[in-house]
Amino acid sequence: MGDVFSNLLTGFQNALTLTNIGFGFLGVFIGTLVGVIPGIGPINAIALLIPLSFGLDPVTGLILLTGVYYGSMYGGSTTSILVRTPGEVASIVTTLDGYEMARQGRAGPALSTAAIGSFIAGTLALVGLMFLAPVIAKAAYYFGSAEYFLLIILAMSMISSLSTGSALKGYISVFIGLAVATVGIDPQSGINRFTFGITNLLDGIDFILFSIALFAIPEALSNIGKKKLETKMQIQKIKGSLWMNREDWKRSIGPYGRGSVLGFLIGALPGIGPSLASFMSYAMEKKISKHPEKFGKGAIEGVSGPEAANNAGVGGALVPLFTLGIPGSATTALLLYVFMMYGLQPGPGMFETNSTLIWAIIASMYVGNVILLLLNLPLVGLFASLLKIPLVPLFVGVLAFSVLGVYSINFNSFDLILLFIFGLVGYGMQYFNIPLAPAVMALVLGGLMEENFRRTMNISNGNIFVFFERPVSIALIIVIVLVVIVPGILSIMKKRRQKNASAEEGINIS
């Protein structure tokens, strides 16, 4: 425990330099703006900012980009409460009771409980990250190439099966990402793969280009292409005090604690991220409430619990990233790329070889949580006024920044052709409701998966049963099978229950 606090102290010494405080403030401010404006999201914002962080020190660059990540979770609650339009996926649940509170003239307490809950949950999640990450990092030393291969398969299976409506579409997205990951020179044999004689493809498809093409381009095109855009939104006014009364505090304390624990644990699962945590927190609070009938009609627990859960999920999602090198969500997949861009490989070795950087990021998140609390409440009116920006010029600007950001990576016009091609691919995926996040994770993890599989096969002389020799491998295989099979079984059972219910209803009517 002494090592943890001494490392954290060193982290604060690095995080509290004027440069890092400045970029930390910039990151959380941009994150809040991104969370407030619907349709952009932290993935697009981080992808567009990565080229601008090329010249920064690794610590400063990562402080900036992680600030955007957790800052966006704060900002999404503002639009959910005042406009009933979530700025980020994880804030969808907040619209149910937050907007109803605003309609009843209680927008102030709704915004307060969201901001305070996010601050408390974010701080508790960082405490969990501090103590849990080093333990997992030490345990990860017992992982061989076989275990890492299976862990990557588990991560991609979870995001395909658990975070989307259709598991099949999730797996289609994974295979698209893996196909893109194979383009370029084979790292072992040196053979060109799927380059079609184009020298610009020898180095593979750039991860940032692919991410911007898949997320920013389709979102911009779909919004610009709409025949009718709502440029004037009905914004609920903030009446009375911003602060919560004694009754609000009493009803919010429990959801803060439960949401923080639930969000951290779910966020720490590879491939899921914080969005699912907010939905589960809402369901839990409604189930244990003495007055479940009030949910959906302005229950403050329906705001405090989910907001705590989605912000705690950010800290949880960093656990597998820092300790195992496995992203917990599509956004942390971008952060994994940033680590690799700076020549760093997240994993158990990071806590020994680059402990200064890791602890500086953790310390900066403590500072960022305080900045966000100070930003959100006094400036909530300013952030809400951003919703008056016409959407067409906004998304035209997103397109312009996308083109500029991709071109600045290699200053190569061929990258703009790829941006257009993958933008159309992303638009098609969005049209057919194929999730985009699994493709991004598959691209960043595809190389690691192939590397560990080949290493395992070389060590075992091609013996596939090497995956069944160690207890950890067997446990991972069992979990993978359950993750793949259980959602299908639950879906079949649900359809059967609905069919039986319809049949019974038909009998009763007759």
PDB file of all heavy atoms in Angstrom, residues 76-77 80-81 84 86 88-100 274-283 285 295-296 299 301-307 309-310:
ATOM      1  N   GLY A  76     -22.535  14.648 -21.464  1.00  0.00           N
ATOM      2  CA  GLY A  76     -23.738  14.017 -22.005  1.00  0.00           C
ATOM      3  C   GLY A  76     -24.957  14.182 -21.127  1.00  0.00           C
ATOM      4  O   GLY A  76     -26.096  14.172 -21.623  1.00  0.00           O
ATOM      5  N   SER A  77     -24.767  14.350 -19.815  1.00  0.00           N
ATOM      6  CA  SER A  77     -25.912  14.486 -18.914  1.00  0.00           C
ATOM      7  C   SER A  77     -26.634  15.816 -19.108  1.00  0.00           C
ATOM      8  O   SER A  77     -27.846  15.905 -18.878  1.00  0.00           O
ATOM      9  CB  SER A  77     -25.449  14.361 -17.457  1.00  0.00           C
ATOM     10  OG  SER A  77     -24.544  15.400 -17.126  1.00  0.00           O
ATOM     11  N   SER A  80     -29.115  15.444 -21.918  1.00  0.00           N
ATOM     12  CA  SER A  80     -30.135  14.460 -21.524  1.00  0.00           C
ATOM     13  C   SER A  80     -31.175  15.101 -20.624  1.00  0.00           C
ATOM     14  O   SER A  80     -32.379  14.824 -20.740  1.00  0.00           O
ATOM     15  CB  SER A  80     -29.474  13.284 -20.791  1.00  0.00           C
ATOM     16  OG  SER A  80     -28.599  12.589 -21.633  1.00  0.00           O
ATOM     17  N   ILE A  81     -30.738  15.969 -19.721  1.00  0.00           N
ATOM     18  CA  ILE A  81     -31.639  16.592 -18.743  1.00  0.00           C
ATOM     19  C   ILE A  81     -32.392  17.773 -19.338  1.00  0.00           C
ATOM     20  O   ILE A  81     -33.604  17.907 -19.141  1.00  0.00           O
ATOM     21  CB  ILE A  81     -30.831  17.026 -17.498  1.00  0.00           C
ATOM     22  CG1 ILE A  81     -30.331  15.781 -16.754  1.00  0.00           C
ATOM     23  CG2 ILE A  81     -31.672  17.912 -16.583  1.00  0.00           C
ATOM     24  CD1 ILE A  81     -29.297  16.067 -15.688  1.00  0.00           C
ATOM     25  N   ARG A  84     -33.565  16.334 -23.501  1.00  0.00           N
ATOM     26  CA  ARG A  84     -33.965  14.940 -23.749  1.00  0.00           C
ATOM     27  C   ARG A  84     -33.251  14.374 -24.971  1.00  0.00           C
ATOM     28  O   ARG A  84     -33.790  13.553 -25.713  1.00  0.00           O
ATOM     29  CB  ARG A  84     -35.477  14.831 -23.935  1.00  0.00           C
ATOM     30  CG  ARG A  84     -36.015  13.459 -23.544  1.00  0.00           C
ATOM     31  CD  ARG A  84     -37.516  13.394 -23.646  1.00  0.00           C
ATOM     32  NE  ARG A  84     -38.044  12.192 -23.047  1.00  0.00           N
ATOM     33  CZ  ARG A  84     -39.323  11.894 -22.933  1.00  0.00           C
ATOM     34  NH1 ARG A  84     -40.233  12.741 -23.392  1.00  0.00           N
ATOM     35  NH2 ARG A  84     -39.713  10.764 -22.373  1.00  0.00           N
ATOM     36  N   PRO A  86     -29.558  12.678 -25.571  1.00  0.00           N
ATOM     37  CA  PRO A  86     -28.270  12.286 -24.994  1.00  0.00           C
ATOM     38  C   PRO A  86     -27.111  12.636 -25.922  1.00  0.00           C
ATOM     39  O   PRO A  86     -27.137  12.327 -27.111  1.00  0.00           O
ATOM     40  CB  PRO A  86     -28.396  10.770 -24.821  1.00  0.00           C
ATOM     41  CG  PRO A  86     -29.449  10.358 -25.796  1.00  0.00           C
ATOM     42  CD  PRO A  86     -30.400  11.515 -25.899  1.00  0.00           C
ATOM     43  N   GLU A  88     -24.181  11.389 -25.486  1.00  0.00           N
ATOM     44  CA  GLU A  88     -23.338  10.197 -25.548  1.00  0.00           C
ATOM     45  C   GLU A  88     -24.208   8.989 -25.206  1.00  0.00           C
ATOM     46  O   GLU A  88     -25.203   9.102 -24.508  1.00  0.00           O
ATOM     47  CB  GLU A  88     -22.195  10.335 -24.527  1.00  0.00           C
ATOM     48  CG  GLU A  88     -20.848   9.829 -25.019  1.00  0.00           C
ATOM     49  CD  GLU A  88     -20.757   8.323 -24.946  1.00  0.00           C
ATOM     50  OE1 GLU A  88     -21.239   7.738 -23.976  1.00  0.00           O
ATOM     51  OE2 GLU A  88     -20.181   7.735 -25.883  1.00  0.00           O
ATOM     52  N   VAL A  89     -23.852   7.818 -25.735  1.00  0.00           N
ATOM     53  CA  VAL A  89     -24.683   6.619 -25.573  1.00  0.00           C
ATOM     54  C   VAL A  89     -24.959   6.318 -24.106  1.00  0.00           C
ATOM     55  O   VAL A  89     -26.077   5.961 -23.720  1.00  0.00           O
ATOM     56  CB  VAL A  89     -24.003   5.398 -26.239  1.00  0.00           C
ATOM     57  CG1 VAL A  89     -24.816   4.133 -26.002  1.00  0.00           C
ATOM     58  CG2 VAL A  89     -23.841   5.641 -27.731  1.00  0.00           C
ATOM     59  N   ALA A  90     -23.926   6.465 -23.268  1.00  0.00           N
ATOM     60  CA  ALA A  90     -24.068   6.121 -21.853  1.00  0.00           C
ATOM     61  C   ALA A  90     -25.058   7.033 -21.127  1.00  0.00           C
ATOM     62  O   ALA A  90     -25.498   6.711 -20.023  1.00  0.00           O
ATOM     63  CB  ALA A  90     -22.699   6.184 -21.169  1.00  0.00           C
ATOM     64  N   SER A  91     -25.429   8.167 -21.731  1.00  0.00           N
ATOM     65  CA  SER A  91     -26.343   9.111 -21.076  1.00  0.00           C
ATOM     66  C   SER A  91     -27.790   8.931 -21.494  1.00  0.00           C
ATOM     67  O   SER A  91     -28.653   9.727 -21.096  1.00  0.00           O
ATOM     68  CB  SER A  91     -25.899  10.555 -21.385  1.00  0.00           C
ATOM     69  OG  SER A  91     -24.605  10.798 -20.904  1.00  0.00           O
ATOM     70  N   ILE A  92     -28.067   7.904 -22.301  1.00  0.00           N
ATOM     71  CA  ILE A  92     -29.444   7.697 -22.766  1.00  0.00           C
ATOM     72  C   ILE A  92     -30.404   7.510 -21.593  1.00  0.00           C
ATOM     73  O   ILE A  92     -31.505   8.079 -21.561  1.00  0.00           O
ATOM     74  CB  ILE A  92     -29.511   6.471 -23.708  1.00  0.00           C
ATOM     75  CG1 ILE A  92     -28.786   6.785 -25.025  1.00  0.00           C
ATOM     76  CG2 ILE A  92     -30.956   6.058 -23.972  1.00  0.00           C
ATOM     77  CD1 ILE A  92     -28.685   5.601 -25.967  1.00  0.00           C
ATOM     78  N   VAL A  93     -29.988   6.724 -20.603  1.00  0.00           N
ATOM     79  CA  VAL A  93     -30.872   6.422 -19.475  1.00  0.00           C
ATOM     80  C   VAL A  93     -31.208   7.682 -18.684  1.00  0.00           C
ATOM     81  O   VAL A  93     -32.317   7.796 -18.130  1.00  0.00           O
ATOM     82  CB  VAL A  93     -30.201   5.374 -18.553  1.00  0.00           C
ATOM     83  CG1 VAL A  93     -31.079   5.060 -17.364  1.00  0.00           C
ATOM     84  CG2 VAL A  93     -29.933   4.108 -19.330  1.00  0.00           C
ATOM     85  N   THR A  94     -30.301   8.641 -18.635  1.00  0.00           N
ATOM     86  CA  THR A  94     -30.517   9.869 -17.869  1.00  0.00           C
ATOM     87  C   THR A  94     -31.701  10.666 -18.400  1.00  0.00           C
ATOM     88  O   THR A  94     -32.321  11.436 -17.660  1.00  0.00           O
ATOM     89  CB  THR A  94     -29.241  10.734 -17.883  1.00  0.00           C
ATOM     90  OG1 THR A  94     -28.135   9.928 -17.474  1.00  0.00           O
ATOM     91  CG2 THR A  94     -29.358  11.922 -16.953  1.00  0.00           C
ATOM     92  N   THR A  95     -32.032  10.484 -19.692  1.00  0.00           N
ATOM     93  CA  THR A  95     -33.158  11.235 -20.259  1.00  0.00           C
ATOM     94  C   THR A  95     -34.485  10.846 -19.606  1.00  0.00           C
ATOM     95  O   THR A  95     -35.404  11.662 -19.548  1.00  0.00           O
ATOM     96  CB  THR A  95     -33.274  10.983 -21.780  1.00  0.00           C
ATOM     97  OG1 THR A  95     -33.516   9.585 -22.016  1.00  0.00           O
ATOM     98  CG2 THR A  95     -31.997  11.385 -22.500  1.00  0.00           C
ATOM     99  N   LEU A  96     -34.590   9.614 -19.118  1.00  0.00           N
ATOM    100  CA  LEU A  96     -35.877   9.107 -18.623  1.00  0.00           C
ATOM    101  C   LEU A  96     -36.401   9.919 -17.451  1.00  0.00           C
ATOM    102  O   LEU A  96     -37.571  10.322 -17.435  1.00  0.00           O
ATOM    103  CB  LEU A  96     -35.749   7.632 -18.234  1.00  0.00           C
ATOM    104  CG  LEU A  96     -35.325   6.673 -19.349  1.00  0.00           C
ATOM    105  CD1 LEU A  96     -35.148   5.265 -18.805  1.00  0.00           C
ATOM    106  CD2 LEU A  96     -36.327   6.693 -20.495  1.00  0.00           C
ATOM    107  N   ASP A  97     -35.553  10.163 -16.457  1.00  0.00           N
ATOM    108  CA  ASP A  97     -35.984  10.915 -15.275  1.00  0.00           C
ATOM    109  C   ASP A  97     -35.401  12.320 -15.224  1.00  0.00           C
ATOM    110  O   ASP A  97     -36.006  13.216 -14.645  1.00  0.00           O
ATOM    111  CB  ASP A  97     -35.604  10.151 -14.006  1.00  0.00           C
ATOM    112  CG  ASP A  97     -36.492   8.940 -13.778  1.00  0.00           C
ATOM    113  OD1 ASP A  97     -37.611   9.124 -13.264  1.00  0.00           O
ATOM    114  OD2 ASP A  97     -36.085   7.833 -14.143  1.00  0.00           O
ATOM    115  N   GLY A  98     -34.228  12.508 -15.817  1.00  0.00           N
ATOM    116  CA  GLY A  98     -33.610  13.831 -15.798  1.00  0.00           C
ATOM    117  C   GLY A  98     -34.449  14.869 -16.512  1.00  0.00           C
ATOM    118  O   GLY A  98     -34.651  15.985 -16.005  1.00  0.00           O
ATOM    119  N   TYR A  99     -34.964  14.529 -17.686  1.00  0.00           N
ATOM    120  CA  TYR A  99     -35.790  15.478 -18.439  1.00  0.00           C
ATOM    121  C   TYR A  99     -37.116  15.744 -17.729  1.00  0.00           C
ATOM    122  O   TYR A  99     -37.611  16.873 -17.725  1.00  0.00           O
ATOM    123  CB  TYR A  99     -36.041  14.938 -19.843  1.00  0.00           C
ATOM    124  CG  TYR A  99     -36.790  15.900 -20.741  1.00  0.00           C
ATOM    125  CD1 TYR A  99     -36.151  17.040 -21.236  1.00  0.00           C
ATOM    126  CD2 TYR A  99     -38.117  15.681 -21.081  1.00  0.00           C
ATOM    127  CE1 TYR A  99     -36.828  17.931 -22.055  1.00  0.00           C
ATOM    128  CE2 TYR A  99     -38.797  16.565 -21.905  1.00  0.00           C
ATOM    129  CZ  TYR A  99     -38.152  17.688 -22.387  1.00  0.00           C
ATOM    130  OH  TYR A  99     -38.821  18.572 -23.196  1.00  0.00           O
ATOM    131  N   GLU A 100     -37.671  14.693 -17.110  1.00  0.00           N
ATOM    132  CA  GLU A 100     -38.921  14.887 -16.366  1.00  0.00           C
ATOM    133  C   GLU A 100     -38.711  15.816 -15.175  1.00  0.00           C
ATOM    134  O   GLU A 100     -39.572  16.638 -14.857  1.00  0.00           O
ATOM    135  CB  GLU A 100     -39.468  13.534 -15.901  1.00  0.00           C
ATOM    136  CG  GLU A 100     -40.015  12.667 -17.023  1.00  0.00           C
ATOM    137  CD  GLU A 100     -41.135  13.356 -17.781  1.00  0.00           C
ATOM    138  OE1 GLU A 100     -42.014  13.952 -17.133  1.00  0.00           O
ATOM    139  OE2 GLU A 100     -41.118  13.304 -19.027  1.00  0.00           O
ATOM    140  N   PRO A 274     -18.434   1.489 -20.433  1.00  0.00           N
ATOM    141  CA  PRO A 274     -19.347   2.031 -19.414  1.00  0.00           C
ATOM    142  C   PRO A 274     -20.807   2.131 -19.812  1.00  0.00           C
ATOM    143  O   PRO A 274     -21.659   2.316 -18.957  1.00  0.00           O
ATOM    144  CB  PRO A 274     -18.763   3.430 -19.161  1.00  0.00           C
ATOM    145  CG  PRO A 274     -18.103   3.801 -20.447  1.00  0.00           C
ATOM    146  CD  PRO A 274     -17.568   2.517 -21.031  1.00  0.00           C
ATOM    147  N   SER A 275     -21.132   2.026 -21.102  1.00  0.00           N
ATOM    148  CA  SER A 275     -22.515   2.268 -21.528  1.00  0.00           C
ATOM    149  C   SER A 275     -23.491   1.288 -20.888  1.00  0.00           C
ATOM    150  O   SER A 275     -24.573   1.670 -20.425  1.00  0.00           O
ATOM    151  CB  SER A 275     -22.616   2.185 -23.055  1.00  0.00           C
ATOM    152  OG  SER A 275     -21.802   3.159 -23.661  1.00  0.00           O
ATOM    153  N   LEU A 276     -23.136   0.006 -20.877  1.00  0.00           N
ATOM    154  CA  LEU A 276     -24.021  -1.012 -20.305  1.00  0.00           C
ATOM    155  C   LEU A 276     -24.253  -0.768 -18.823  1.00  0.00           C
ATOM    156  O   LEU A 276     -25.330  -1.064 -18.288  1.00  0.00           O
ATOM    157  CB  LEU A 276     -23.419  -2.404 -20.533  1.00  0.00           C
ATOM    158  CG  LEU A 276     -24.244  -3.600 -20.038  1.00  0.00           C
ATOM    159  CD1 LEU A 276     -25.567  -3.686 -20.776  1.00  0.00           C
ATOM    160  CD2 LEU A 276     -23.449  -4.895 -20.215  1.00  0.00           C
ATOM    161  N   ALA A 277     -23.242  -0.202 -18.136  1.00  0.00           N
ATOM    162  CA  ALA A 277     -23.337   0.017 -16.694  1.00  0.00           C
ATOM    163  C   ALA A 277     -24.483   0.952 -16.339  1.00  0.00           C
ATOM    164  O   ALA A 277     -25.191   0.738 -15.344  1.00  0.00           O
ATOM    165  CB  ALA A 277     -22.015   0.570 -16.165  1.00  0.00           C
ATOM    166  N   SER A 278     -24.698   2.003 -17.140  1.00  0.00           N
ATOM    167  CA  SER A 278     -25.756   2.962 -16.827  1.00  0.00           C
ATOM    168  C   SER A 278     -27.133   2.310 -16.948  1.00  0.00           C
ATOM    169  O   SER A 278     -28.026   2.560 -16.133  1.00  0.00           O
ATOM    170  CB  SER A 278     -25.657   4.188 -17.744  1.00  0.00           C
ATOM    171  OG  SER A 278     -25.761   3.821 -19.093  1.00  0.00           O
ATOM    172  N   PHE A 279     -27.333   1.449 -17.955  1.00  0.00           N
ATOM    173  CA  PHE A 279     -28.606   0.754 -18.120  1.00  0.00           C
ATOM    174  C   PHE A 279     -28.860  -0.192 -16.946  1.00  0.00           C
ATOM    175  O   PHE A 279     -29.968  -0.264 -16.418  1.00  0.00           O
ATOM    176  CB  PHE A 279     -28.613  -0.038 -19.431  1.00  0.00           C
ATOM    177  CG  PHE A 279     -28.723   0.824 -20.652  1.00  0.00           C
ATOM    178  CD1 PHE A 279     -27.594   1.301 -21.280  1.00  0.00           C
ATOM    179  CD2 PHE A 279     -29.962   1.164 -21.168  1.00  0.00           C
ATOM    180  CE1 PHE A 279     -27.688   2.099 -22.405  1.00  0.00           C
ATOM    181  CE2 PHE A 279     -30.072   1.962 -22.296  1.00  0.00           C
ATOM    182  CZ  PHE A 279     -28.930   2.436 -22.914  1.00  0.00           C
ATOM    183  N   MET A 280     -27.815  -0.941 -16.550  1.00  0.00           N
ATOM    184  CA  MET A 280     -27.967  -1.893 -15.455  1.00  0.00           C
ATOM    185  C   MET A 280     -28.206  -1.177 -14.130  1.00  0.00           C
ATOM    186  O   MET A 280     -28.961  -1.650 -13.280  1.00  0.00           O
ATOM    187  CB  MET A 280     -26.728  -2.788 -15.370  1.00  0.00           C
ATOM    188  CG  MET A 280     -26.591  -3.739 -16.546  1.00  0.00           C
ATOM    189  SD  MET A 280     -25.246  -4.914 -16.359  1.00  0.00           S
ATOM    190  CE  MET A 280     -25.849  -5.917 -15.009  1.00  0.00           C
ATOM    191  N   SER A 281     -27.565  -0.018 -13.940  1.00  0.00           N
ATOM    192  CA  SER A 281     -27.755   0.744 -12.706  1.00  0.00           C
ATOM    193  C   SER A 281     -29.203   1.219 -12.591  1.00  0.00           C
ATOM    194  O   SER A 281     -29.811   1.145 -11.518  1.00  0.00           O
ATOM    195  CB  SER A 281     -26.805   1.943 -12.683  1.00  0.00           C
ATOM    196  OG  SER A 281     -27.095   2.776 -11.582  1.00  0.00           O
ATOM    197  N   TYR A 282     -29.759   1.701 -13.702  1.00  0.00           N
ATOM    198  CA  TYR A 282     -31.150   2.173 -13.688  1.00  0.00           C
ATOM    199  C   TYR A 282     -32.099   1.032 -13.330  1.00  0.00           C
ATOM    200  O   TYR A 282     -33.012   1.186 -12.509  1.00  0.00           O
ATOM    201  CB  TYR A 282     -31.515   2.756 -15.051  1.00  0.00           C
ATOM    202  CG  TYR A 282     -32.871   3.428 -15.084  1.00  0.00           C
ATOM    203  CD1 TYR A 282     -32.993   4.768 -14.724  1.00  0.00           C
ATOM    204  CD2 TYR A 282     -34.010   2.741 -15.462  1.00  0.00           C
ATOM    205  CE1 TYR A 282     -34.236   5.405 -14.745  1.00  0.00           C
ATOM    206  CE2 TYR A 282     -35.254   3.352 -15.488  1.00  0.00           C
ATOM    207  CZ  TYR A 282     -35.361   4.687 -15.134  1.00  0.00           C
ATOM    208  OH  TYR A 282     -36.582   5.299 -15.152  1.00  0.00           O
ATOM    209  N   ALA A 283     -31.867  -0.133 -13.956  1.00  0.00           N
ATOM    210  CA  ALA A 283     -32.723  -1.290 -13.675  1.00  0.00           C
ATOM    211  C   ALA A 283     -32.610  -1.709 -12.217  1.00  0.00           C
ATOM    212  O   ALA A 283     -33.618  -2.059 -11.580  1.00  0.00           O
ATOM    213  CB  ALA A 283     -32.329  -2.446 -14.594  1.00  0.00           C
ATOM    214  N   GLU A 285     -31.720   0.218  -9.570  1.00  0.00           N
ATOM    215  CA  GLU A 285     -32.324   1.211  -8.692  1.00  0.00           C
ATOM    216  C   GLU A 285     -33.848   1.113  -8.708  1.00  0.00           C
ATOM    217  O   GLU A 285     -34.513   1.239  -7.673  1.00  0.00           O
ATOM    218  CB  GLU A 285     -31.887   2.624  -9.103  1.00  0.00           C
ATOM    219  CG  GLU A 285     -30.418   2.929  -8.878  1.00  0.00           C
ATOM    220  CD  GLU A 285     -29.989   2.744  -7.430  1.00  0.00           C
ATOM    221  OE1 GLU A 285     -30.809   3.015  -6.533  1.00  0.00           O
ATOM    222  OE2 GLU A 285     -28.843   2.327  -7.206  1.00  0.00           O
ATOM    223  N   PHE A 295     -40.289   6.029 -11.120  1.00  0.00           N
ATOM    224  CA  PHE A 295     -39.240   6.049 -12.139  1.00  0.00           C
ATOM    225  C   PHE A 295     -39.851   6.343 -13.503  1.00  0.00           C
ATOM    226  O   PHE A 295     -40.894   5.795 -13.867  1.00  0.00           O
ATOM    227  CB  PHE A 295     -38.492   4.715 -12.168  1.00  0.00           C
ATOM    228  CG  PHE A 295     -37.437   4.598 -11.100  1.00  0.00           C
ATOM    229  CD1 PHE A 295     -37.791   4.431  -9.773  1.00  0.00           C
ATOM    230  CD2 PHE A 295     -36.088   4.692 -11.428  1.00  0.00           C
ATOM    231  CE1 PHE A 295     -36.832   4.339  -8.782  1.00  0.00           C
ATOM    232  CE2 PHE A 295     -35.119   4.599 -10.448  1.00  0.00           C
ATOM    233  CZ  PHE A 295     -35.485   4.431  -9.119  1.00  0.00           C
ATOM    234  N   GLY A 296     -39.208   7.211 -14.251  1.00  0.00           N
ATOM    235  CA  GLY A 296     -39.743   7.676 -15.521  1.00  0.00           C
ATOM    236  C   GLY A 296     -40.604   8.905 -15.365  1.00  0.00           C
ATOM    237  O   GLY A 296     -41.064   9.483 -16.348  1.00  0.00           O
ATOM    238  N   ALA A 299     -37.822  10.669 -10.908  1.00  0.00           N
ATOM    239  CA  ALA A 299     -37.138  10.138  -9.719  1.00  0.00           C
ATOM    240  C   ALA A 299     -35.654  10.492  -9.790  1.00  0.00           C
ATOM    241  O   ALA A 299     -34.990  10.169 -10.774  1.00  0.00           O
ATOM    242  CB  ALA A 299     -37.318   8.620  -9.640  1.00  0.00           C
ATOM    243  N   GLU A 301     -33.248   9.246  -8.214  1.00  0.00           N
ATOM    244  CA  GLU A 301     -32.408   8.037  -8.228  1.00  0.00           C
ATOM    245  C   GLU A 301     -32.134   7.566  -9.651  1.00  0.00           C
ATOM    246  O   GLU A 301     -31.114   6.933  -9.924  1.00  0.00           O
ATOM    247  CB  GLU A 301     -33.084   6.898  -7.450  1.00  0.00           C
ATOM    248  CG  GLU A 301     -33.318   7.187  -5.986  1.00  0.00           C
ATOM    249  CD  GLU A 301     -34.680   7.803  -5.718  1.00  0.00           C
ATOM    250  OE1 GLU A 301     -35.254   8.426  -6.650  1.00  0.00           O
ATOM    251  OE2 GLU A 301     -35.175   7.660  -4.585  1.00  0.00           O
ATOM    252  N   GLY A 302     -33.056   7.877 -10.577  1.00  0.00           N
ATOM    253  CA  GLY A 302     -32.889   7.499 -11.966  1.00  0.00           C
ATOM    254  C   GLY A 302     -31.859   8.333 -12.696  1.00  0.00           C
ATOM    255  O   GLY A 302     -31.500   8.037 -13.840  1.00  0.00           O
ATOM    256  N   VAL A 303     -31.385   9.398 -12.029  1.00  0.00           N
ATOM    257  CA  VAL A 303     -30.307  10.221 -12.579  1.00  0.00           C
ATOM    258  C   VAL A 303     -28.993   9.927 -11.856  1.00  0.00           C
ATOM    259  O   VAL A 303     -27.958   9.699 -12.493  1.00  0.00           O
ATOM    260  CB  VAL A 303     -30.644  11.730 -12.459  1.00  0.00           C
ATOM    261  CG1 VAL A 303     -29.497  12.584 -12.999  1.00  0.00           C
ATOM    262  CG2 VAL A 303     -31.936  12.039 -13.200  1.00  0.00           C
ATOM    263  N   SER A 304     -29.044   9.911 -10.524  1.00  0.00           N
ATOM    264  CA  SER A 304     -27.804   9.777  -9.744  1.00  0.00           C
ATOM    265  C   SER A 304     -27.134   8.420  -9.952  1.00  0.00           C
ATOM    266  O   SER A 304     -25.902   8.340 -10.095  1.00  0.00           O
ATOM    267  CB  SER A 304     -28.100   9.991  -8.254  1.00  0.00           C
ATOM    268  OG  SER A 304     -29.174   9.176  -7.826  1.00  0.00           O
ATOM    269  N   GLY A 305     -27.912   7.331  -9.982  1.00  0.00           N
ATOM    270  CA  GLY A 305     -27.331   5.994 -10.143  1.00  0.00           C
ATOM    271  C   GLY A 305     -26.665   5.787 -11.492  1.00  0.00           C
ATOM    272  O   GLY A 305     -25.475   5.453 -11.568  1.00  0.00           O
ATOM    273  N   PRO A 306     -27.398   5.983 -12.614  1.00  0.00           N
ATOM    274  CA  PRO A 306     -26.788   5.793 -13.931  1.00  0.00           C
ATOM    275  C   PRO A 306     -25.615   6.725 -14.214  1.00  0.00           C
ATOM    276  O   PRO A 306     -24.636   6.321 -14.845  1.00  0.00           O
ATOM    277  CB  PRO A 306     -27.954   6.075 -14.888  1.00  0.00           C
ATOM    278  CG  PRO A 306     -29.167   5.724 -14.108  1.00  0.00           C
ATOM    279  CD  PRO A 306     -28.857   6.146 -12.703  1.00  0.00           C
ATOM    280  N   GLU A 307     -25.700   7.994 -13.754  1.00  0.00           N
ATOM    281  CA  GLU A 307     -24.589   8.915 -13.997  1.00  0.00           C
ATOM    282  C   GLU A 307     -23.341   8.485 -13.235  1.00  0.00           C
ATOM    283  O   GLU A 307     -22.217   8.603 -13.726  1.00  0.00           O
ATOM    284  CB  GLU A 307     -24.990  10.341 -13.601  1.00  0.00           C
ATOM    285  CG  GLU A 307     -25.870  11.033 -14.617  1.00  0.00           C
ATOM    286  CD  GLU A 307     -25.193  11.204 -15.971  1.00  0.00           C
ATOM    287  OE1 GLU A 307     -24.036  11.647 -16.007  1.00  0.00           O
ATOM    288  OE2 GLU A 307     -25.825  10.863 -16.988  1.00  0.00           O
ATOM    289  N   ALA A 309     -22.705   5.370 -12.467  1.00  0.00           N
ATOM    290  CA  ALA A 309     -22.256   4.125 -13.099  1.00  0.00           C
ATOM    291  C   ALA A 309     -21.450   4.382 -14.359  1.00  0.00           C
ATOM    292  O   ALA A 309     -20.399   3.766 -14.573  1.00  0.00           O
ATOM    293  CB  ALA A 309     -23.468   3.241 -13.418  1.00  0.00           C
ATOM    294  N   ASN A 310     -21.920   5.300 -15.216  1.00  0.00           N
ATOM    295  CA  ASN A 310     -21.186   5.466 -16.480  1.00  0.00           C
ATOM    296  C   ASN A 310     -19.849   6.154 -16.280  1.00  0.00           C
ATOM    297  O   ASN A 310     -18.893   5.915 -17.019  1.00  0.00           O
ATOM    298  CB  ASN A 310     -22.056   6.149 -17.558  1.00  0.00           C
ATOM    299  CG  ASN A 310     -22.263   7.626 -17.347  1.00  0.00           C
ATOM    300  OD1 ASN A 310     -21.334   8.396 -17.149  1.00  0.00           O
ATOM    301  ND2 ASN A 310     -23.516   8.055 -17.431  1.00  0.00           N
TER     302      ASN A 310
END
